[in-house]
């Protein structure tokens, strides 16, 4: 390391700090600075200009919005160091020290001089893999915008009584997102928690699990309000409160394909839930109609979309069978446009987002589809792209879509058929499970998703930069993320047997330590799986069967019905069933209450 020291004698202190890779060198440099400089210098990284510069303490910002915009380093021993590549930022990671040190030794052994300027010769510090990774990540991002929410002015307006929406506006503040921290865990399930959902008032949280139970939590007090058997025979995938019903009705769907209703006001005296529809394959998602306490949509791996109206004697009616040409497309996701409840979007076992209008469905014309979206590079892609989740923004103008072992894409919902995506979000991994994605913020300011690496990713929507990265699940995968309706609070669930509550309680913004290595690992694993043409359906079924075998004894202990192999067989066969069979069995599909 002596060569490195001699080659950087002529550098400014700020440049030398970015070159030192080991804690020992940083400590030695810190002592030198203390004895040779009267004014302590700090490094400020600004998102507006994207450069490293020297600054005196007087030039550092002190208000809350600048703390969200600037990252100040008072000591290089315990702070991240940053590489700036045009408009992308990667934090320094201690795990990279060995790799970078090896690069330096190879350069010294080959007779090459050490790097003289971190800005001009930075490429010598990065391996080809690092450089390719940075180019991939930075290809579609821009600079972070200035914070919309200003804490000082917002507090002043609240004190003067001119702002009645202080908390609501604060939910969209970047500084709060960057301070998210695990508040507590809600423990009560004995299997993977597949979904969490806040009620309309935000006072209760519903969770459902592989243990076939549904728990309604008073999440503030960390106590269950109600716990009951769902009535399903297999993994409960979703449980949602219907709006404007006084939190008395809960809709559920599961791997057994059943759509069931729980009347919470009748529990615990009434032990049964009511079946209102039956898919011929797993049903992963429900789509609530805003403000409707009676109506919602369901989708299933049988490619069928049902409209449920609880006011009818036969609640379920078939809306459409999703097809590409004459082949059925199993569905994993469905969501209703909040600005136009006649329109809904679905996604599943192909690469196309399909938007339907219930008033204009004619299955003899374009299979009833109003318009389709797909990233253009995936239209004719050999890899089997699948949509695991999609969701509309708060005002219905945008449609967010997450692809299996691909990235997250944002479409303008008002664009015409075949329109290209407008934004792309990179870095996470979506392969092992049917993973969710969601907006966060009152104006859908942020994008959030779980990842196979067990972390939660937050992207700032307009710039597409990762602003939050936190470990979310010890079991390895976060599948569901649900924001509180009006507080800066988040609920998540995954392979762990608990639901988690997050709030902006951290004393400082989260340091994105390990982000670079995690993105690199996720990208490498994704590329390797793509070479082997791993299919989501195959990997998901393998994962499900393995979990079924390992938890079979637990289910018998819980007293739940044991799931047989027929469930997996019906899932696989549902994609090959024809429409005539569907019509012949409508009486069976539209089930009466059980």
């Amino acid at each position: 390391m002596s060569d490195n020291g001699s080659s950087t004698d002529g550098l400014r202190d700020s440049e030398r700090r970015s070159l030192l890779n080991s804690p020992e060198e940083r400590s030695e440099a810190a002592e030198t600075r203390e004895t040779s400089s009267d004014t302590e210098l700090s490094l400020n990284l600004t998102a507006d200009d994207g450069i490293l510069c020297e600054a005196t303490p007087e030039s550092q910002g002190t208000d809350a919005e600048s703390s969200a915009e600037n990252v100040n380093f008072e000591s290089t021993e315990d702070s991240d160091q940053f590489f700036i590549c045009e408009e992308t930022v990667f934090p320094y990671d201690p795990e990279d020290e060995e790799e970078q040190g090896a690069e330096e030794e190879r350069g010294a052994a080959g007779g090459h001089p050490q790097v003289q300027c971190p800005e001009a010769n930075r490429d010598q510090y990065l391996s080809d893999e690092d450089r390719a990774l940075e180019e991939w990540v930075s290809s579609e991002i821009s600079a972070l915008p200035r914070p919309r929410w200003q804490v000082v002015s917002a507090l002043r307006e609240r004190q003067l009584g001119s702002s009645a929406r202080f908390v609501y506006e604060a939910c969209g503040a970047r500084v709060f997102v960057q301070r998210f921290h695990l508040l507590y865990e809600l423990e009560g399930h004995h299997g993977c928690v597949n979904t969490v959902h806040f009620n309309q008032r935000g006072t209760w949280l519903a969770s459902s699990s592989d243990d076939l139970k549904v728990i309604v939590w008073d999440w503030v007090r960390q106590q269950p309000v109600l716990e009951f058997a769902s009535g399903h025979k297999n993994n409960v995938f979703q449980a949602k409160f219907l709006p404007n019903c006084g939190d008395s009705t809960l809709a559920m769907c599961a791997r057994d394909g059943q759509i069931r209703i729980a009347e919470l006001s009748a529990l615990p005296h009434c032990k049964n839930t009511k079946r209102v529809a039956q898919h011929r394959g797993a049903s992963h998602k429900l789509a609530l109609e805003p403000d409707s306490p009676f109506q919602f949509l369901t989708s299933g791996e049988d490619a069928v979309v049902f409209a449920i109206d609880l006011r009818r004697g036969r609640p379920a009616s078939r809306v459409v069978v999703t097809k590409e040409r004459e082949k059925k497309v199993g569905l994993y996701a469905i969501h209703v446009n909040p600005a136009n409840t006649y329109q809904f979007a679905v996604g599943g076992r192909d690469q196309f987002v399909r938007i339907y209008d219930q008033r204009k469905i004619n299955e003899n014309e374009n299979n009833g589809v109003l318009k389709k979206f797909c990233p253009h590079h995936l239209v004719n892609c050999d890899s089997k792209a699948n949509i695991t989740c999609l969701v509309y923004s708060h005002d219905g103008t945008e449609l967010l879509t997450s692809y299996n072992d691909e990235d997250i894409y944002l479409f303008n919902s008002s664009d015409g058929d075949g329109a290209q995506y407008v934004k792309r979000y990179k870095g996470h991994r979506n392969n092992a499970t049917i993973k969710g994605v969601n907006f966060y913020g009152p104006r859908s300011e942020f994008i959030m998703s779980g990842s196979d690496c067990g972390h939660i990713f937050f992207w700032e929507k307009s710039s597409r930069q990762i602003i939050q990265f936190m470990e979310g699940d010890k079991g390895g995968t976060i599948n569901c993320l649900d924001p509180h309706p009006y507080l800066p609070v988040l609920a998540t669930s995954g392979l762990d047997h608990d639901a988690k509550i997050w709030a902006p309680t951290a004393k400082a913004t989260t340091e994105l330590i390990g982000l670079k290595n995690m993105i690199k690992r996720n990208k490498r694993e994704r590329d390797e799986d793509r070479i082997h043409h791993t299919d989501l359906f195959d990997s998901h079924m393998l994962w499900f069967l393995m979990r079924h075998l390992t938890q079979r004894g637990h289910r018998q202990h819980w007293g739940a019905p044991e799931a047989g192999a027929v469930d997996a067989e019906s899932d696989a066969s549902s994609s090959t069933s024809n429409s005539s069979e569907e019509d012949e069995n409508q009486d069976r599909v539209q089930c009466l209450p059980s």
Side-chain angles (χ1 to χ4, degrees), residues 487-540:
L487 291 176
V489 171
L490 173 69
T492 65
S493 65
L495 296 189
D496 286 350
H497 296 183
D498 55 43
K500 294 179 174 65
I501 302 296
W502 306 79
T505 58
K507 295 181 180 179
T509 57
T510 302
E511 297 179 354
L512 306 181
I513 296 175
L515 175 61
K516 177 181 176 181
N517 272 356
M518 190 57 66
I519 293 177
K520 184 193 301 183
R521 182 182 124 186
N522 289 341
K523 182 70 165 60
R524 184 189 301 115
E525 291 178 355
R526 190 173 87 177
D527 292 342
E528 290 174 355
D529 283 352
R530 185 172 297 171
I531 293 173
H532 296 91
H533 298 287
T534 303
D535 181 56
L536 168 67
F537 180 66
D538 295 336
S539 62
H540 183 68

Side-chain angles (χ1 to χ4, degrees), residues 433-470:
T433 58
I434 298 179
K435 207 167 280 74
V437 68
N438 212 339
F439 290 98
Y440 180 84
R443 295 185 178 90
S444 304
E445 293 94 338
F446 306 98
I447 309 299
M448 58 182 180
S449 174
S451 175
D452 290 349
C453 60
H455 290 80
I456 300 171
F457 286 74
F458 275 83
W459 295 263
E460 198 280 324
K461 185 176 71 175
S462 62
S463 67
R464 291 148 286 188
Q465 287 200 32
I466 297 173
I467 63 165
Q468 178 61 287
F469 167 74
M470 51 194 185

